Amino acid sequence: MKAVRFHEYGGIEVLRVEEVERPVPGPGQVLVKVKAAGINPGEAYIRVGGVHERWPATFPSGQGTDLAGVVVEPGPHVRGFAVGDEVLGYTHRRASHAQYVVVDDTALTVRPEGLSWDVAGSLQVAGATAYATVFAVEPGPGDTVVVSGAAGGVGSLAVQLARRRGATVIGLASEPNHAWLQEHGVIPVAYGPGVADRIRQAAGGRVDAFIDTWGDGYVELAVDLGVHPERINTIRDWHTAAKVGARAYGESSATSAVVLGELARLAARGELDVPIARTYPLDQVRDAFRELERRHTHGKIVLRPWPDEER
């Protein structure tokens, strides 16, 4: 099968698509033919060695957490899944950017009818992260919540989940994304110089909670806006969070097949919009990450490991 590999830390140029042995499922595992697999910023940080102390790579390294596909082989003692089942899920073995992947049966849920493969295959990391970061700041009716990076893969889901809790949501994003935010009941505010004053004006003076999906000074901005540290959550700026007492809930805080299934059902019913920015064949994985690392994408970027006629 084909799979993404890198043999050393480095830029996009270290990514390769190689022929490797198809894995064999063990007890409690299934082999999934991957229809779609999302890519995420964390994978780029791992590849360049930026989080080596926290999440070191072992070479040669695979890539990828998100996945959706069809069960082609169950291992011994698998519960709840059979050949032909359409599923979505996740692996923490850095392995989903491939044509086949072995997945624990506890990390899978059935693909709901009406959920596209691209959405299903890119939902776990962004969805669990958004779920966790909204849970961390506990928004509710009467609260005003600010979300930085509000049109990105995580931010676009976080604003919707916060709105579902009844909060007023202010989304920091570039002008081209303001219309999408407004369509989803979010008050758009442009980032850049003067952003604090624009937030205060949009909020009517009071901000109750702040979700930072971008980093780059937004934890300090939240403190300056008068938000209590326990109602600030960042998925980027862990150092500042520790310094001021803010929270840093991320994907691992909400990763489970139960949460993923809940998000998938919301998306299938049209109650959670999961924007897909662009799709790429597996052989164009470098182009996909080049797009991702510009950090101006609205929604998710998805790899399709198989040609359309073989999906």
Side-chain angles (χ1 to χ4, degrees):
M1 71 169 190
K2 291 182 177 180
V4 176
R5 292 284 186 270
F6 60 100
H7 294 252
E8 60 184 332
Y9 288 131
I12 291 168
E13 71 280 355
V14 303
L15 292 175
R16 307 178 188 177
V17 177
E18 299 181 343
E19 294 283 343
V20 301
E21 290 293 323
R22 197 171 91 167
V24 176
Q29 297 178 329
V30 298
L31 182 68
V32 176
K33 180 179 180 179
V34 181
K35 298 271 193 173
I39 70 173
N40 296 285
E43 289 144 11
Y45 298 145
I46 290 170
R47 188 197 70 236
V48 300
V51 288
H52 176 78
E53 292 185 2
R54 192 167 183 170
W55 295 303
T58 301
F59 301 116
S61 177
Q63 239 187 195
T65 298
D66 296 338
L67 64 102
V70 178
V71 174
V72 294
E73 182 186 348
H77 315 304
V78 165
R79 295 170 295 176
F81 298 100
V83 173
D85 285 350
E86 297 182 350
V87 296
L88 65 152
Y90 55 91
T91 173
H92 289 136
R93 299 182 182 91
R94 300 177 185 172
S96 71
H97 295 170
Q99 291 181 319
Y100 293 95
V101 61
V102 163
V103 188
D104 295 340
D105 60 5
T106 55
L108 291 172
T109 188
V110 174
R111 182 174 76 114
E113 184 177 351
L115 188 69
S116 76
W117 284 116
D118 291 335
V119 170
S122 60
L123 189 55
Q124 161 59 28
V125 170
T129 305
Y131 191 100
T133 199
V134 171
F135 177 84
V137 303
E138 299 180 346
D143 284 336
T144 297
V145 183
V146 177
V147 179
S148 68
V154 174
S156 61
L157 302 183
V159 295
Q160 295 177 75
L161 295 175
R163 286 286 295 132
R164 287 182 62 83
R165 286 173 168 246
T168 297
V169 179
I170 295 171
L172 305 184
S174 60
E175 296 271 354
N177 294 312
H178 285 192
W180 184 90
L181 291 170
Q182 289 173 323
E183 290 168 5
H184 291 78
V186 178
I187 301 168
V189 168
Y191 54 76
V195 66
D197 290 337
R198 291 192 293 276
I199 291 172
R200 290 188 183 98
Q201 183 176 5
R206 191 191 80 203
V207 175
D208 301 289
F210 201 111
I211 294 170
D212 170 37
T213 75
W214 189 263
D216 197 23
Y218 281 114
V219 173
E220 291 98 330
L221 173 62
V223 172
D224 291 344
L225 290 168
V227 182
H228 293 295
E230 66 271 16
R231 299 199 73 189
I232 301 169
N233 194 82
T234 181
I235 63 170
R236 299 278 189 197
D237 194 352
W238 306 305
H239 176 75
T240 305
K243 184 171 69 174
V244 305
R247 295 180 172 181
Y249 287 28
E251 179 209 350
S252 62
S253 302
T255 289
S256 76
V258 173
V259 170
L260 181 59
E262 178 184 346
L263 295 171
R265 288 186 290 273
L266 287 174
R269 295 196 300 261
E271 297 175 27
L272 182 67
D273 182 10
V274 185
I276 301 298
R278 193 166 175 185
T279 64
Y280 290 86
L282 194 69
D283 289 341
Q284 294 179 21
V285 62
R286 292 183 180 181
D287 292 334
F289 273 92
R290 195 170 287 112
E291 177 79 15
L292 177 82
E293 291 174 37
R294 294 190 184 106
R295 296 192 72 185
H296 289 292
T297 304
H298 172 49
K300 294 294 299 180
I301 297 173
V302 183
L303 293 175
R304 293 177 172 179
W306 294 90
D308 288 345
E309 62 272 16
E310 297 182 47
R311 293 180 77 219

